[in-house]
Amino acid sequence: MGKPILSIVVPCYNEEKCVQLFVDSVAKIKLAVAYEILFVDDGSKDGTLAAIKKECANKRNEGVKMRYISFSRNFGKEAALFAGLKNASGEIIVTMDVDGQDPPSFLPQMIAGIEDGYDSVATRRADRKGEPIIRSCFARLFYKLMCKFSNVALVDGARDYRMMRRKVVDAILSMPENNRFTKGIYQWVGFKTKWIDFPNCERVAGDTKWSFWKLFKYSIDGILAFSTMPLQLASGLGAVVCTGSAVSLVWIYLRALIFGNPVAGWPSLVCIVMFLGGVQLFMIGILGAYMAKIYLETKRRPMYFIAEASDS
Ligand code: UDP
Ligand code: MG
């Protein structure tokens, strides 16, 4: 078997029901290039690793190289993607979810895009069908905020289903940050990218690993990783509050000159003091969030540990 040209990197976390379906769905597509499938088991607690090993041992996919890496615990999809990209051997690399939401039927079109001279071929969902309304509202808001606040123009609906040339992958791997927000990293490295739209697909089996709050936290991480705008918010707000208070001072002084100085207004004073206290705490919170990220980055901890891997 020759060296595979295409590496398919597949992060898996508790996906025992999806592994075999995934391999079968890829096998159905006749790819013009030799390929390998590299599973990254992200510390699954169910039978995912066993299912992956079974697929690797299975001879029905002759000519397809099957490999796996298994983490010592769950490190998250970002770490799994990084490990997959780092260990992929192909000249072209594609990252795909194992749950069928990234249809393999697009692979030939993506390969054609690379052959046409694009450095990467990315996909995005054309709609958000099947997603709770509140979730899509927040997703839209997040993309808007991200565009305003940072210098990476994230694409709404972009998936992690992306085919890249080796040089793009090397660029991604050269970014050593631990707080990885892959969607931002893809945009940040640049390169000539072709976009393919496809309708949203439901998972073939199993459940999503993303609760609303997990997604919310993830989007905050994205903003912290790619924007320093919240840090500048304090100066802006400070300037507004200073101007406001200077204007009110003049107004209160004039009013006292004209109408005298009846003692009143302590409830409004309390409100103002509490409001300012709130603004200050909020700003300290933002500082804290950035500081926490700096603290974690300075530890230089490895992104993951490999507990087990296939032989080659
Ligand atoms: N995944 C992972 N580690 C995690 C969570 C998810 O490797 O901690 C994998 C998961 O197995 C799947 C992909 O990332 O292949 C996308 O996850 P999921 O389908 O839950 O996300 P969604 O499509 O709902 O955004
Ligand atoms: Mg999914």
Side-chain angles (χ1 to χ4, degrees), residues 15 77 97-102 125 159 201-205 207-210:
E15 306 275 13
K77 186 181 177 185
D97 287 0
V98 73
D99 59 8
Q101 289 192 292
D102 296 335
R125 306 192 287 189
R159 294 197 54 85
C201 314
E202 299 280 327
R203 267 182 164 266
V204 287
D207 296 312
T208 175
K209 312 293 173 298
W210 295 91

PDB file of all heavy atoms in Angstrom, residues 15 77 97-102 125 159 201-205 207-210, ligand 2:
ATOM      1  N   GLU A  15     -18.848   7.976  20.769  1.00  0.00           N
ATOM      2  CA  GLU A  15     -19.536   7.839  19.480  1.00  0.00           C
ATOM      3  C   GLU A  15     -19.561   6.386  19.014  1.00  0.00           C
ATOM      4  O   GLU A  15     -19.449   6.116  17.830  1.00  0.00           O
ATOM      5  CB  GLU A  15     -18.837   8.698  18.409  1.00  0.00           C
ATOM      6  CG  GLU A  15     -18.653  10.153  18.743  1.00  0.00           C
ATOM      7  CD  GLU A  15     -19.872  11.002  18.406  1.00  0.00           C
ATOM      8  OE1 GLU A  15     -20.947  10.430  18.145  1.00  0.00           O
ATOM      9  OE2 GLU A  15     -19.729  12.221  18.398  1.00  0.00           O
ATOM     10  N   LYS A  77     -12.721  18.786  21.761  1.00  0.00           N
ATOM     11  CA  LYS A  77     -12.592  18.622  20.305  1.00  0.00           C
ATOM     12  C   LYS A  77     -11.405  19.405  19.737  1.00  0.00           C
ATOM     13  O   LYS A  77     -10.742  18.954  18.801  1.00  0.00           O
ATOM     14  CB  LYS A  77     -13.887  19.089  19.623  1.00  0.00           C
ATOM     15  CG  LYS A  77     -13.882  18.823  18.134  1.00  0.00           C
ATOM     16  CD  LYS A  77     -15.149  19.299  17.458  1.00  0.00           C
ATOM     17  CE  LYS A  77     -15.030  19.072  15.960  1.00  0.00           C
ATOM     18  NZ  LYS A  77     -16.148  19.608  15.202  1.00  0.00           N
ATOM     19  N   ASP A  97     -16.453  15.428  11.299  1.00  0.00           N
ATOM     20  CA  ASP A  97     -17.125  14.861  12.470  1.00  0.00           C
ATOM     21  C   ASP A  97     -17.534  13.431  12.133  1.00  0.00           C
ATOM     22  O   ASP A  97     -17.810  13.120  10.975  1.00  0.00           O
ATOM     23  CB  ASP A  97     -18.383  15.666  12.810  1.00  0.00           C
ATOM     24  CG  ASP A  97     -18.039  17.000  13.426  1.00  0.00           C
ATOM     25  OD1 ASP A  97     -16.838  17.288  13.590  1.00  0.00           O
ATOM     26  OD2 ASP A  97     -18.981  17.759  13.738  1.00  0.00           O
ATOM     27  N   VAL A  98     -17.617  12.606  13.164  1.00  0.00           N
ATOM     28  CA  VAL A  98     -17.911  11.201  12.936  1.00  0.00           C
ATOM     29  C   VAL A  98     -19.422  10.947  12.857  1.00  0.00           C
ATOM     30  O   VAL A  98     -19.860   9.876  12.456  1.00  0.00           O
ATOM     31  CB  VAL A  98     -17.255  10.355  14.081  1.00  0.00           C
ATOM     32  CG1 VAL A  98     -18.005  10.534  15.385  1.00  0.00           C
ATOM     33  CG2 VAL A  98     -17.126   8.902  13.718  1.00  0.00           C
ATOM     34  N   ASP A  99     -20.221  11.968  13.200  1.00  0.00           N
ATOM     35  CA  ASP A  99     -21.666  11.748  13.395  1.00  0.00           C
ATOM     36  C   ASP A  99     -22.523  11.872  12.135  1.00  0.00           C
ATOM     37  O   ASP A  99     -23.741  11.875  12.210  1.00  0.00           O
ATOM     38  CB  ASP A  99     -22.186  12.712  14.464  1.00  0.00           C
ATOM     39  CG  ASP A  99     -21.956  14.171  14.083  1.00  0.00           C
ATOM     40  OD1 ASP A  99     -21.529  14.421  12.940  1.00  0.00           O
ATOM     41  OD2 ASP A  99     -22.195  15.048  14.929  1.00  0.00           O
ATOM     42  N   GLY A 100     -21.883  11.997  10.973  1.00  0.00           N
ATOM     43  CA  GLY A 100     -22.648  12.046   9.721  1.00  0.00           C
ATOM     44  C   GLY A 100     -23.108  13.452   9.365  1.00  0.00           C
ATOM     45  O   GLY A 100     -23.764  13.657   8.350  1.00  0.00           O
ATOM     46  N   GLN A 101     -22.759  14.442  10.203  1.00  0.00           N
ATOM     47  CA  GLN A 101     -23.183  15.811   9.886  1.00  0.00           C
ATOM     48  C   GLN A 101     -22.273  16.468   8.842  1.00  0.00           C
ATOM     49  O   GLN A 101     -22.588  17.540   8.345  1.00  0.00           O
ATOM     50  CB  GLN A 101     -23.245  16.658  11.157  1.00  0.00           C
ATOM     51  CG  GLN A 101     -24.402  16.242  12.049  1.00  0.00           C
ATOM     52  CD  GLN A 101     -24.651  17.237  13.163  1.00  0.00           C
ATOM     53  OE1 GLN A 101     -23.847  17.385  14.059  1.00  0.00           O
ATOM     54  NE2 GLN A 101     -25.784  17.912  13.113  1.00  0.00           N
ATOM     55  N   ASP A 102     -21.153  15.807   8.582  1.00  0.00           N
ATOM     56  CA  ASP A 102     -20.260  16.267   7.510  1.00  0.00           C
ATOM     57  C   ASP A 102     -20.293  15.210   6.405  1.00  0.00           C
ATOM     58  O   ASP A 102     -19.535  14.243   6.437  1.00  0.00           O
ATOM     59  CB  ASP A 102     -18.818  16.423   8.034  1.00  0.00           C
ATOM     60  CG  ASP A 102     -18.720  17.486   9.100  1.00  0.00           C
ATOM     61  OD1 ASP A 102     -19.560  18.393   9.124  1.00  0.00           O
ATOM     62  OD2 ASP A 102     -17.796  17.401   9.921  1.00  0.00           O
ATOM     63  N   ARG A 125     -22.848  25.482   6.638  1.00  0.00           N
ATOM     64  CA  ARG A 125     -24.249  25.090   6.570  1.00  0.00           C
ATOM     65  C   ARG A 125     -25.025  26.255   5.992  1.00  0.00           C
ATOM     66  O   ARG A 125     -24.851  27.398   6.404  1.00  0.00           O
ATOM     67  CB  ARG A 125     -24.800  24.830   7.966  1.00  0.00           C
ATOM     68  CG  ARG A 125     -24.013  23.866   8.749  1.00  0.00           C
ATOM     69  CD  ARG A 125     -24.778  23.463   9.958  1.00  0.00           C
ATOM     70  NE  ARG A 125     -24.814  24.543  10.948  1.00  0.00           N
ATOM     71  CZ  ARG A 125     -25.291  24.356  12.166  1.00  0.00           C
ATOM     72  NH1 ARG A 125     -25.784  23.189  12.497  1.00  0.00           N
ATOM     73  NH2 ARG A 125     -25.294  25.328  13.030  1.00  0.00           N
ATOM     74  N   ARG A 159     -18.376  25.049   9.219  1.00  0.00           N
ATOM     75  CA  ARG A 159     -18.178  23.820   9.986  1.00  0.00           C
ATOM     76  C   ARG A 159     -16.689  23.507  10.071  1.00  0.00           C
ATOM     77  O   ARG A 159     -15.868  24.124   9.394  1.00  0.00           O
ATOM     78  CB  ARG A 159     -18.925  22.666   9.308  1.00  0.00           C
ATOM     79  CG  ARG A 159     -20.428  22.861   9.345  1.00  0.00           C
ATOM     80  CD  ARG A 159     -21.143  21.572   9.051  1.00  0.00           C
ATOM     81  NE  ARG A 159     -20.727  20.488   9.922  1.00  0.00           N
ATOM     82  CZ  ARG A 159     -21.238  20.247  11.134  1.00  0.00           C
ATOM     83  NH1 ARG A 159     -22.162  21.030  11.627  1.00  0.00           N
ATOM     84  NH2 ARG A 159     -20.812  19.229  11.848  1.00  0.00           N
ATOM     85  N   CYS A 201     -27.432  18.707   8.195  1.00  0.00           N
ATOM     86  CA  CYS A 201     -27.840  17.296   8.306  1.00  0.00           C
ATOM     87  C   CYS A 201     -27.966  16.946   9.781  1.00  0.00           C
ATOM     88  O   CYS A 201     -27.216  17.448  10.606  1.00  0.00           O
ATOM     89  CB  CYS A 201     -26.794  16.351   7.727  1.00  0.00           C
ATOM     90  SG  CYS A 201     -26.160  16.832   6.154  1.00  0.00           S
ATOM     91  N   GLU A 202     -28.890  16.040  10.072  1.00  0.00           N
ATOM     92  CA  GLU A 202     -29.026  15.564  11.450  1.00  0.00           C
ATOM     93  C   GLU A 202     -27.954  14.517  11.709  1.00  0.00           C
ATOM     94  O   GLU A 202     -27.467  13.868  10.791  1.00  0.00           O
ATOM     95  CB  GLU A 202     -30.411  14.929  11.642  1.00  0.00           C
ATOM     96  CG  GLU A 202     -31.570  15.888  11.409  1.00  0.00           C
ATOM     97  CD  GLU A 202     -31.840  16.793  12.604  1.00  0.00           C
ATOM     98  OE1 GLU A 202     -31.624  16.333  13.747  1.00  0.00           O
ATOM     99  OE2 GLU A 202     -32.217  17.958  12.399  1.00  0.00           O
ATOM    100  N   ARG A 203     -27.604  14.330  12.980  1.00  0.00           N
ATOM    101  CA  ARG A 203     -26.694  13.259  13.378  1.00  0.00           C
ATOM    102  C   ARG A 203     -27.254  11.895  12.997  1.00  0.00           C
ATOM    103  O   ARG A 203     -28.465  11.722  13.073  1.00  0.00           O
ATOM    104  CB  ARG A 203     -26.652  13.216  14.901  1.00  0.00           C
ATOM    105  CG  ARG A 203     -25.625  13.965  15.545  1.00  0.00           C
ATOM    106  CD  ARG A 203     -25.712  13.760  17.016  1.00  0.00           C
ATOM    107  NE  ARG A 203     -24.427  14.224  17.511  1.00  0.00           N
ATOM    108  CZ  ARG A 203     -23.406  13.437  17.716  1.00  0.00           C
ATOM    109  NH1 ARG A 203     -23.528  12.151  17.576  1.00  0.00           N
ATOM    110  NH2 ARG A 203     -22.248  13.927  18.095  1.00  0.00           N
ATOM    111  N   VAL A 204     -26.402  10.925  12.661  1.00  0.00           N
ATOM    112  CA  VAL A 204     -26.916   9.591  12.336  1.00  0.00           C
ATOM    113  C   VAL A 204     -27.243   8.802  13.597  1.00  0.00           C
ATOM    114  O   VAL A 204     -28.146   7.973  13.616  1.00  0.00           O
ATOM    115  CB  VAL A 204     -25.948   8.777  11.448  1.00  0.00           C
ATOM    116  CG1 VAL A 204     -25.936   9.311  10.038  1.00  0.00           C
ATOM    117  CG2 VAL A 204     -24.545   8.746  12.020  1.00  0.00           C
ATOM    118  N   ALA A 205     -26.506   9.025  14.664  1.00  0.00           N
ATOM    119  CA  ALA A 205     -26.754   8.333  15.941  1.00  0.00           C
ATOM    120  C   ALA A 205     -26.103   9.119  17.066  1.00  0.00           C
ATOM    121  O   ALA A 205     -25.318  10.032  16.823  1.00  0.00           O
ATOM    122  CB  ALA A 205     -26.168   6.924  15.889  1.00  0.00           C
ATOM    123  N   ASP A 207     -25.744  11.525  20.647  1.00  0.00           N
ATOM    124  CA  ASP A 207     -26.213  12.869  21.003  1.00  0.00           C
ATOM    125  C   ASP A 207     -25.107  13.893  20.829  1.00  0.00           C
ATOM    126  O   ASP A 207     -23.933  13.562  20.908  1.00  0.00           O
ATOM    127  CB  ASP A 207     -26.641  12.912  22.473  1.00  0.00           C
ATOM    128  CG  ASP A 207     -27.818  12.000  22.716  1.00  0.00           C
ATOM    129  OD1 ASP A 207     -28.774  12.080  21.930  1.00  0.00           O
ATOM    130  OD2 ASP A 207     -27.752  11.187  23.668  1.00  0.00           O
ATOM    131  N   THR A 208     -25.540  15.142  20.643  1.00  0.00           N
ATOM    132  CA  THR A 208     -24.550  16.214  20.566  1.00  0.00           C
ATOM    133  C   THR A 208     -23.863  16.379  21.920  1.00  0.00           C
ATOM    134  O   THR A 208     -24.444  16.112  22.952  1.00  0.00           O
ATOM    135  CB  THR A 208     -25.212  17.554  20.136  1.00  0.00           C
ATOM    136  OG1 THR A 208     -24.219  18.567  20.192  1.00  0.00           O
ATOM    137  CG2 THR A 208     -26.363  17.945  21.040  1.00  0.00           C
ATOM    138  N   LYS A 209     -22.598  16.814  21.872  1.00  0.00           N
ATOM    139  CA  LYS A 209     -21.840  16.983  23.118  1.00  0.00           C
ATOM    140  C   LYS A 209     -21.921  18.426  23.588  1.00  0.00           C
ATOM    141  O   LYS A 209     -21.288  18.817  24.542  1.00  0.00           O
ATOM    142  CB  LYS A 209     -20.359  16.616  22.903  1.00  0.00           C
ATOM    143  CG  LYS A 209     -20.117  15.302  22.185  1.00  0.00           C
ATOM    144  CD  LYS A 209     -20.565  14.129  23.027  1.00  0.00           C
ATOM    145  CE  LYS A 209     -20.505  12.815  22.289  1.00  0.00           C
ATOM    146  NZ  LYS A 209     -21.357  12.700  21.131  1.00  0.00           N
ATOM    147  N   TRP A 210     -22.694  19.231  22.856  1.00  0.00           N
ATOM    148  CA  TRP A 210     -22.706  20.668  23.150  1.00  0.00           C
ATOM    149  C   TRP A 210     -24.029  21.087  23.746  1.00  0.00           C
ATOM    150  O   TRP A 210     -25.022  21.166  23.044  1.00  0.00           O
ATOM    151  CB  TRP A 210     -22.434  21.458  21.875  1.00  0.00           C
ATOM    152  CG  TRP A 210     -21.080  21.210  21.338  1.00  0.00           C
ATOM    153  CD1 TRP A 210     -20.739  20.247  20.433  1.00  0.00           C
ATOM    154  CD2 TRP A 210     -19.869  21.879  21.689  1.00  0.00           C
ATOM    155  NE1 TRP A 210     -19.390  20.295  20.202  1.00  0.00           N
ATOM    156  CE2 TRP A 210     -18.836  21.287  20.963  1.00  0.00           C
ATOM    157  CE3 TRP A 210     -19.564  22.944  22.551  1.00  0.00           C
ATOM    158  CZ2 TRP A 210     -17.521  21.706  21.066  1.00  0.00           C
ATOM    159  CZ3 TRP A 210     -18.254  23.356  22.652  1.00  0.00           C
ATOM    160  CH2 TRP A 210     -17.254  22.731  21.913  1.00  0.00           C
TER     161      TRP A 210
HETATM  162 MG    MG B   2     -22.428  16.882  15.273  1.00  0.00          MG
END
